[in-house]
Coordinates of all heavy atoms in Angstrom, one line a residue:
M1 N 4.0 34.7 -3.3 CA 2.6 34.6 -3.0 C 2.4 35.2 -1.6 O 2.9 34.7 -0.6 CB 2.2 33.1 -3.0 CG 0.7 32.8 -2.9 SD 0.3 31.1 -3.1 CE 0.3 30.4 -1.4
L2 N 1.5 36.2 -1.6 CA 1.3 36.9 -0.3 C -0.2 37.2 -0.1 O -0.9 37.3 -1.1 CB 2.0 38.2 -0.3 CG 3.5 38.2 -0.5 CD1 4.0 39.4 -1.1 CD2 4.1 38.1 0.9
R3 N -0.6 37.2 1.1 CA -2.1 37.6 1.3 C -2.2 39.1 1.0 O -1.4 39.9 1.5 CB -2.4 37.3 2.8 CG -2.3 35.8 3.1 CD -2.4 35.5 4.5 NE -3.7 35.6 5.0 CZ -4.1 35.4 6.3 NH1 -3.1 35.1 7.1 NH2 -5.3 35.5 6.7
A4 N -3.3 39.4 0.3 CA -3.5 40.8 -0.1 C -3.5 41.7 1.2 O -3.0 42.8 1.1 CB -4.8 40.9 -0.8
E5 N -4.0 41.2 2.3 CA -4.1 42.1 3.5 C -2.7 42.4 4.0 O -2.6 43.3 4.9 CB -5.0 41.4 4.5 CG -4.4 40.1 5.1 CD -5.3 39.5 6.2 OE1 -6.5 39.5 5.9 OE2 -4.8 39.0 7.2
A6 N -1.7 41.7 3.6 CA -0.3 42.0 4.0 C 0.4 43.0 3.2 O 1.5 43.4 3.5 CB 0.5 40.7 4.1
E7 N -0.3 43.5 2.1 CA 0.4 44.4 1.2 C 1.0 45.7 1.8 O 2.1 46.1 1.5 CB -0.5 44.8 0.0 CG 0.2 45.6 -1.1 CD -0.7 45.7 -2.4 OE1 -1.8 45.2 -2.3 OE2 -0.1 46.3 -3.3
E8 N 0.2 46.2 2.8 CA 0.8 47.4 3.5 C 2.0 47.1 4.3 O 3.0 47.9 4.4 CB -0.4 47.9 4.4 CG -0.1 49.4 4.8 CD -1.3 50.0 5.5 OE1 -2.4 50.0 4.8 OE2 -1.2 50.2 6.7
D9 N 2.0 45.9 4.9 CA 3.1 45.6 5.8 C 4.3 45.0 5.0 O 5.4 45.0 5.4 CB 2.7 44.5 6.8 CG 1.6 45.1 7.8 OD1 1.7 46.3 8.1 OD2 0.7 44.2 8.2
V10 N 4.0 44.4 3.8 CA 5.0 43.7 3.0 C 4.9 44.3 1.6 O 4.4 43.6 0.7 CB 4.9 42.2 3.0 CG1 6.1 41.6 2.3 CG2 4.7 41.7 4.4
P11 N 5.3 45.5 1.4 CA 5.2 46.1 0.0 C 6.3 45.7 -0.9 O 7.3 45.1 -0.5 CB 5.2 47.7 0.4 CG 6.2 47.7 1.6 CD 5.9 46.4 2.4
G12 N 6.1 46.1 -2.2 CA 7.2 46.0 -3.1 C 7.1 44.7 -4.0 O 8.0 44.5 -4.9
F13 N 6.1 43.9 -3.9 CA 6.0 42.8 -4.7 C 5.0 43.1 -5.8 O 4.3 44.0 -5.9 CB 5.5 41.6 -3.9 CG 6.5 41.0 -3.0 CD1 6.6 41.5 -1.7 CD2 7.4 40.0 -3.4 CE1 7.6 41.1 -0.8 CE2 8.3 39.5 -2.5 CZ 8.5 40.0 -1.2
S14 N 5.0 42.2 -6.9 CA 4.1 42.4 -8.0 C 2.7 42.3 -7.5 O 2.4 41.6 -6.7 CB 4.4 41.3 -9.0 OG 3.3 41.3 -10.0
E15 N 1.9 43.1 -8.1 CA 0.5 43.0 -7.8 C -0.1 41.6 -7.9 O -1.0 41.3 -7.1 CB -0.4 43.9 -8.7 CG -0.5 45.4 -8.3 CD -1.0 45.6 -6.9 OE1 -2.1 45.0 -6.7 OE2 -0.4 46.2 -6.1
R16 N 0.4 40.8 -8.8 CA 0.0 39.4 -9.0 C 0.3 38.6 -7.8 O -0.3 37.5 -7.6 CB 0.5 38.8 -10.3 CG 0.0 39.5 -11.5 CD 0.6 38.8 -12.7 NE 2.1 38.9 -12.6 CZ 3.0 38.4 -13.5 NH1 2.5 37.8 -14.6 NH2 4.2 38.5 -13.3
D17 N 1.2 39.0 -7.0 CA 1.7 38.2 -5.9 C 0.8 38.2 -4.7 O 0.8 37.4 -3.8 CB 3.1 38.6 -5.5 CG 4.2 38.2 -6.4 OD1 3.9 37.3 -7.2 OD2 5.2 38.9 -6.4
Y18 N -0.1 39.3 -4.6 CA -0.9 39.6 -3.5 C -2.3 38.9 -3.9 O -3.0 39.3 -4.9 CB -1.1 41.1 -3.2 CG 0.2 41.8 -2.9 CD1 0.9 42.5 -3.8 CD2 0.6 41.6 -1.6 CE1 2.1 43.1 -3.5 CE2 1.9 42.2 -1.2 CZ 2.6 43.0 -2.1 OH 3.7 43.6 -1.8
L19 N -2.7 38.0 -3.1 CA -3.9 37.2 -3.4 C -4.9 37.4 -2.3 O -4.6 37.5 -1.1 CB -3.6 35.7 -3.5 CG -2.4 35.3 -4.5 CD1 -2.1 33.8 -4.4 CD2 -2.9 35.6 -6.0
G20 N -6.2 37.4 -2.7 CA -7.3 37.4 -1.8 C -7.3 36.1 -1.0 O -6.6 35.1 -1.3
E21 N -8.0 36.2 0.2 CA -8.0 35.0 1.1 C -8.3 33.7 0.5 O -7.7 32.7 0.7 CB -9.0 35.3 2.3 CG -8.5 36.4 3.2 CD -7.2 36.0 4.0 OE1 -7.2 35.0 4.6 OE2 -6.2 36.7 3.7
E22 N -9.4 33.7 -0.3 CA -9.9 32.4 -0.9 C -8.8 31.8 -1.8 O -8.5 30.6 -1.8 CB -11.2 32.7 -1.7 CG -11.9 31.3 -2.0 CD -13.3 31.6 -2.6 OE1 -14.0 32.5 -2.0 OE2 -13.6 31.1 -3.6
E23 N -8.2 32.7 -2.7 CA -7.3 32.1 -3.6 C -5.9 31.7 -3.0 O -5.3 30.7 -3.3 CB -6.9 33.1 -4.8 CG -6.0 32.6 -5.8 CD -5.9 33.5 -7.0 OE1 -6.5 34.5 -7.1 OE2 -5.0 33.1 -7.9
F24 N -5.6 32.6 -2.0 CA -4.4 32.2 -1.2 C -4.5 30.8 -0.6 O -3.6 30.1 -0.8 CB -4.1 33.3 -0.2 CG -2.9 33.1 0.7 CD1 -1.6 33.5 0.3 CD2 -3.0 32.4 1.9 CE1 -0.5 33.3 1.1 CE2 -1.9 32.1 2.7 CZ -0.7 32.6 2.3
W25 N -5.6 30.6 0.1 CA -5.7 29.3 0.8 C -6.0 28.2 -0.1 O -5.6 27.1 0.2 CB -6.7 29.5 1.9 CG -6.3 30.4 3.1 CD1 -6.7 31.6 3.4 CD2 -5.2 30.1 3.9 NE1 -6.0 32.2 4.4 CE2 -5.1 31.2 4.7 CE3 -4.3 29.0 4.1 CZ2 -4.1 31.3 5.8 CZ3 -3.3 29.1 5.1 CH2 -3.2 30.2 5.9
A26 N -6.6 28.5 -1.3 CA -6.7 27.4 -2.3 C -5.3 27.0 -2.8 O -5.1 25.8 -2.9 CB -7.6 27.9 -3.4
R27 N -4.5 27.9 -3.0 CA -3.1 27.6 -3.4 C -2.3 26.8 -2.4 O -1.6 25.9 -2.7 CB -2.4 28.8 -4.0 CG -3.0 29.4 -5.2 CD -2.1 30.4 -5.8 NE -2.7 31.1 -6.9 CZ -2.1 31.9 -7.7 NH1 -0.8 32.2 -7.6 NH2 -2.7 32.5 -8.7
I28 N -2.5 27.2 -1.1 CA -1.8 26.5 -0.1 C -2.4 25.1 -0.1 O -1.5 24.2 0.1 CB -2.1 27.2 1.3 CG1 -1.5 28.6 1.4 CG2 -1.7 26.3 2.5 CD1 0.0 28.6 1.5
E29 N -3.6 24.9 -0.2 CA -4.1 23.5 -0.1 C -3.6 22.7 -1.3 O -3.2 21.5 -1.2 CB -5.6 23.6 -0.1 CG -6.3 22.2 0.0 CD -5.9 21.5 1.2 OE1 -5.5 22.1 2.2 OE2 -6.1 20.2 1.3
T30 N -3.6 23.3 -2.5 CA -3.0 22.6 -3.7 C -1.6 22.2 -3.4 O -1.1 21.0 -3.7 CB -3.1 23.5 -4.9 OG1 -4.4 23.8 -5.2 CG2 -2.4 22.9 -6.1
A31 N -0.8 23.1 -2.8 CA 0.6 22.8 -2.5 C 0.8 21.7 -1.5 O 1.5 20.8 -1.7 CB 1.4 24.0 -2.0
R32 N -0.1 21.7 -0.5 CA -0.1 20.7 0.6 C -0.5 19.3 0.0 O 0.2 18.3 0.2 CB -1.2 21.0 1.6 CG -1.1 20.2 2.9 CD -2.3 20.3 3.8 NE -3.5 19.7 3.1 CZ -3.7 18.5 3.0 NH1 -2.8 17.6 3.5 NH2 -4.8 18.0 2.4
E33 N -1.5 19.3 -0.9 CA -1.9 18.0 -1.5 C -0.7 17.5 -2.4 O -0.4 16.3 -2.4 CB -3.1 18.2 -2.4 CG -4.4 18.4 -1.5 CD -5.6 18.9 -2.3 OE1 -5.5 18.9 -3.6 OE2 -6.7 19.1 -1.7
R34 N -0.1 18.3 -3.2 CA 1.0 17.9 -4.0 C 2.2 17.4 -3.2 O 2.7 16.3 -3.5 CB 1.5 19.0 -5.0 CG 0.6 19.3 -6.1 CD 1.1 20.3 -6.9 NE 0.1 20.7 -8.0 CZ 0.1 21.8 -8.7 NH1 1.0 22.7 -8.6 NH2 -0.8 22.0 -9.7
G35 N 2.5 18.1 -2.1 CA 3.6 17.7 -1.3 C 3.2 16.3 -0.7 O 4.1 15.3 -0.6
A36 N 2.1 16.1 -0.3 CA 1.6 14.8 0.4 C 1.7 13.7 -0.7 O 2.2 12.5 -0.3 CB 0.2 14.8 0.9
T37 N 1.3 14.0 -1.9 CA 1.4 13.0 -3.0 C 2.9 12.6 -3.2 O 3.2 11.4 -3.3 CB 0.8 13.5 -4.3 OG1 -0.6 13.8 -4.1 CG2 0.9 12.5 -5.5
Y38 N 3.8 13.6 -3.3 CA 5.2 13.3 -3.5 C 5.7 12.4 -2.3 O 6.6 11.5 -2.5 CB 6.0 14.5 -3.7 CG 5.6 15.2 -5.1 CD1 5.5 16.6 -5.1 CD2 5.6 14.5 -6.3 CE1 5.2 17.3 -6.3 CE2 5.3 15.2 -7.4 CZ 5.1 16.5 -7.5 OH 4.8 17.1 -8.7
A39 N 5.4 12.9 -1.1 CA 5.9 12.1 0.0 C 5.5 10.7 0.1 O 6.2 9.7 0.3 CB 5.4 12.9 1.3
R40 N 4.1 10.4 -0.3 CA 3.7 9.0 -0.4 C 4.4 8.3 -1.5 O 4.8 7.1 -1.2 CB 2.2 9.0 -0.7 CG 1.3 9.2 0.5 CD -0.2 8.9 0.1 NE -0.8 9.7 -1.0 CZ -1.3 10.9 -0.8 NH1 -1.4 11.4 0.5 NH2 -1.7 11.7 -1.8
R41 N 4.6 8.9 -2.6 CA 5.4 8.2 -3.6 C 6.8 7.9 -3.2 O 7.3 6.7 -3.4 CB 5.5 9.2 -4.8 CG 5.9 8.6 -6.1 CD 5.9 9.6 -7.2 NE 7.3 9.8 -7.6 CZ 7.7 10.6 -8.5 NH1 6.8 11.3 -9.2 NH2 9.0 10.7 -8.8
I42 N 7.5 8.8 -2.5 CA 8.9 8.5 -2.1 C 8.8 7.4 -1.0 O 9.7 6.6 -1.1 CB 9.5 9.8 -1.6 CG1 9.7 10.8 -2.8 CG2 10.8 9.5 -0.8 CD1 10.1 12.2 -2.4
R43 N 7.9 7.5 -0.1 CA 7.9 6.4 1.0 C 7.6 5.1 0.5 O 8.0 4.1 1.0 CB 6.8 6.8 2.0 CG 7.2 8.0 3.0 CD 6.2 8.2 4.0 NE 6.5 9.3 4.8 CZ 5.7 10.2 5.1 NH1 4.5 10.3 4.7 NH2 6.1 11.3 5.9
S44 N 7.0 5.0 -0.7 CA 6.6 3.7 -1.3 C 7.8 3.2 -2.1 O 7.8 2.1 -2.6 CB 5.3 3.8 -2.3 OG 5.7 4.4 -3.4
G45 N 8.9 4.0 -2.2 CA 10.1 3.5 -2.9 C 10.2 4.1 -4.3 O 11.2 3.8 -5.0
D46 N 9.2 4.8 -4.7 CA 9.3 5.4 -6.0 C 10.1 6.7 -6.1 O 9.6 7.8 -5.7 CB 7.9 5.7 -6.6 CG 7.8 6.2 -7.9 OD1 8.8 6.4 -8.5 OD2 6.6 6.5 -8.4
V47 N 11.3 6.5 -6.4 CA 12.2 7.7 -6.5 C 12.8 7.8 -7.9 O 13.9 8.2 -8.2 CB 13.3 7.6 -5.4 CG1 12.8 7.8 -4.0 CG2 14.1 6.3 -5.5
R48 N 11.9 7.5 -8.8 CA 12.5 7.5 -10.3 C 12.9 8.9 -10.6 O 12.3 9.9 -10.1 CB 11.4 7.0 -11.2 CG 10.2 7.9 -11.3 CD 9.1 7.3 -12.3 NE 7.9 8.2 -12.2 CZ 6.8 7.9 -11.6 NH1 6.7 6.6 -11.0 NH2 5.8 8.7 -11.5
H49 N 13.7 9.0 -11.6 CA 14.3 10.3 -12.1 C 13.3 10.7 -13.2 O 13.2 10.2 -14.2 CB 15.7 10.0 -12.7 CG 16.2 11.2 -13.4 ND1 17.0 11.1 -14.5 CD2 16.2 12.5 -13.0 CE1 17.4 12.3 -14.8 NE2 16.9 13.2 -13.9
D50 N 12.5 11.7 -12.8 CA 11.6 12.2 -13.8 C 11.3 13.7 -13.7 O 10.2 14.2 -13.2 CB 10.2 11.4 -13.6 CG 9.5 11.7 -12.3 OD1 10.2 12.2 -11.3 OD2 8.3 11.4 -12.1
P51 N 12.4 14.4 -14.0 CA 12.2 15.9 -13.9 C 11.1 16.4 -14.8 O 10.7 15.8 -15.8 CB 13.6 16.4 -14.4 CG 14.2 15.3 -15.2 CD 13.6 14.0 -14.6
K52 N 10.5 17.5 -14.3 CA 9.4 18.1 -15.0 C 9.7 18.3 -16.4 O 10.8 18.9 -16.8 CB 9.0 19.4 -14.4 CG 7.7 20.0 -14.8 CD 7.3 21.2 -14.0 CE 6.0 21.7 -14.4 NZ 5.6 22.9 -13.6
G53 N 8.9 17.9 -17.4 CA 9.2 18.1 -18.8 C 10.1 17.0 -19.4 O 10.4 17.0 -20.5
G54 N 10.6 16.0 -18.6 CA 11.4 15.0 -19.0 C 12.9 15.3 -19.0 O 13.7 14.4 -19.3
E55 N 13.3 16.6 -18.9 CA 14.7 16.9 -18.9 C 15.1 17.8 -17.7 O 14.2 18.6 -17.2 CB 15.1 17.6 -20.1 CG 14.9 16.8 -21.4 CD 15.4 17.6 -22.6 OE1 16.0 18.6 -22.5 OE2 15.1 17.1 -23.7
C56 N 16.3 17.7 -17.2 CA 16.7 18.6 -16.2 C 16.9 20.0 -16.8 O 17.5 20.2 -17.8 CB 18.0 18.1 -15.6 SG 18.0 16.5 -14.9
P57 N 16.3 21.0 -16.1 CA 16.5 22.3 -16.6 C 17.9 22.8 -16.5 O 18.7 22.5 -15.6 CB 15.6 23.2 -15.7 CG 15.5 22.4 -14.4 CD 15.7 21.0 -14.8
V58 N 18.3 23.7 -17.5 CA 19.7 24.2 -17.5 C 20.0 25.0 -16.2 O 21.2 25.1 -15.9 CB 19.9 25.0 -18.8 CG1 19.9 24.1 -20.0 CG2 19.1 26.1 -18.9
W59 N 19.0 25.5 -15.6 CA 19.2 26.4 -14.5 C 19.4 25.6 -13.1 O 19.6 26.2 -12.1 CB 18.1 27.4 -14.4 CG 16.7 26.9 -14.4 CD1 16.0 26.9 -15.5 CD2 16.0 26.2 -13.4 NE1 14.8 26.3 -15.3 CE2 14.8 25.8 -13.9 CE3 16.3 25.8 -12.1 CZ2 13.9 25.1 -13.2 CZ3 15.3 25.1 -11.4 CH2 14.1 24.7 -11.9
C60 N 19.3 24.3 -13.2 CA 19.4 23.5 -12.0 C 20.9 23.7 -11.4 O 21.8 23.3 -12.1 CB 19.1 22.1 -12.2 SG 19.4 21.1 -10.7
D61 N 21.0 24.2 -10.3 CA 22.3 24.5 -9.7 C 22.8 23.3 -8.8 O 24.0 23.4 -8.4 CB 22.3 25.8 -8.8 CG 22.1 27.1 -9.6 OD1 22.6 27.0 -10.8 OD2 21.6 28.0 -9.1
V62 N 22.0 22.4 -8.6 CA 22.4 21.3 -7.7 C 22.8 20.0 -8.4 O 23.1 19.0 -7.9 CB 21.3 20.9 -6.6 CG1 21.0 22.1 -5.8 CG2 20.1 20.5 -7.3
W63 N 22.9 20.1 -9.8 CA 23.2 19.0 -10.6 C 24.6 18.3 -10.1 O 24.7 17.1 -10.2 CB 23.2 19.2 -12.1 CG 24.1 20.1 -12.6 CD1 24.0 21.5 -12.7 CD2 25.5 19.8 -13.0 NE1 25.1 22.0 -13.2 CE2 26.1 21.1 -13.4 CE3 26.2 18.6 -13.1 CZ2 27.4 21.1 -13.9 CZ3 27.5 18.7 -13.5 CH2 28.1 19.9 -14.0
P64 N 25.6 19.1 -9.7 CA 26.9 18.5 -9.3 C 26.7 17.5 -8.2 O 27.5 16.6 -8.0 CB 27.8 19.6 -9.0 CG 27.2 20.8 -9.7 CD 25.7 20.6 -9.6
M65 N 25.7 17.7 -7.3 CA 25.6 16.8 -6.2 C 24.4 15.9 -6.3 O 24.1 15.1 -5.4 CB 25.5 17.6 -4.9 CG 24.3 18.4 -4.7 SD 24.3 19.2 -3.1 CE 22.9 20.2 -3.2
C66 N 23.7 16.0 -7.4 CA 22.5 15.2 -7.6 C 23.0 13.7 -7.9 O 23.9 13.5 -8.7 CB 21.7 15.7 -8.9 SG 20.2 14.7 -9.2
R67 N 22.3 12.8 -7.3 CA 22.8 11.4 -7.4 C 22.1 10.7 -8.5 O 22.4 9.5 -8.7 CB 22.5 10.7 -6.1 CG 23.4 11.1 -5.0 CD 23.2 10.3 -3.7 NE 21.9 10.7 -3.0 CZ 21.5 10.1 -2.0 NH1 22.0 9.0 -1.5 NH2 20.4 10.6 -1.5
V68 N 21.4 11.4 -9.4 CA 20.8 10.8 -10.6 C 21.6 11.3 -11.8 O 22.0 12.5 -11.7 CB 19.3 10.9 -10.7 CG1 18.6 10.2 -9.6 CG2 18.9 12.4 -10.9
R69 N 21.7 10.5 -12.8 CA 22.3 11.0 -14.0 C 21.5 12.1 -14.6 O 20.3 12.0 -14.7 CB 22.4 9.9 -15.0 CG 23.6 10.0 -16.0 CD 23.7 8.7 -16.7 NE 22.6 8.4 -17.6 CZ 22.5 8.6 -18.8 NH1 23.6 9.0 -19.5 NH2 21.5 8.3 -19.5
R70 N 22.2 13.2 -15.0 CA 21.4 14.3 -15.6 C 20.8 13.9 -16.9 O 21.5 13.3 -17.8 CB 22.4 15.5 -15.7 CG 21.6 16.7 -16.1 CD 22.6 17.9 -16.0 NE 21.7 19.2 -16.2 CZ 21.9 20.3 -15.6 NH1 22.9 20.4 -14.9 NH2 21.1 21.3 -15.9
A71 N 19.5 14.2 -17.0 CA 18.8 13.8 -18.2 C 19.3 14.8 -19.4 O 19.8 15.8 -19.2 CB 17.3 14.0 -18.0
Ligands
SF4_101 S1 20.0 17.5 -12.0 FE1 19.0 16.3 -10.3 S2 18.2 17.9 -9.0 FE2 18.7 18.9 -10.9 S3 16.8 18.8 -12.1 FE3 17.9 17.0 -12.7 S4 17.2 15.5 -11.3 FE4 16.5 17.4 -10.4

């Protein structure tokens, strides 16, 4: 995800990666809100094992050190 105005300085990415100012900052705000929600959840002691979709993806490379049983 890149700001469209950076395309000249940071070329070579997919056209879809370059976003206008409004969309770029909207996505930043969404990520910030999600991060804050997860942080609140963890601070409250909720560290349940709930990988997205209910199962650990086969591409997860950190499963050998993950302290939860692989779903
Ligand atoms: S193995 Fe652990 S780190 Fe990997 S997806 Fe599952 S819960 Fe997440």
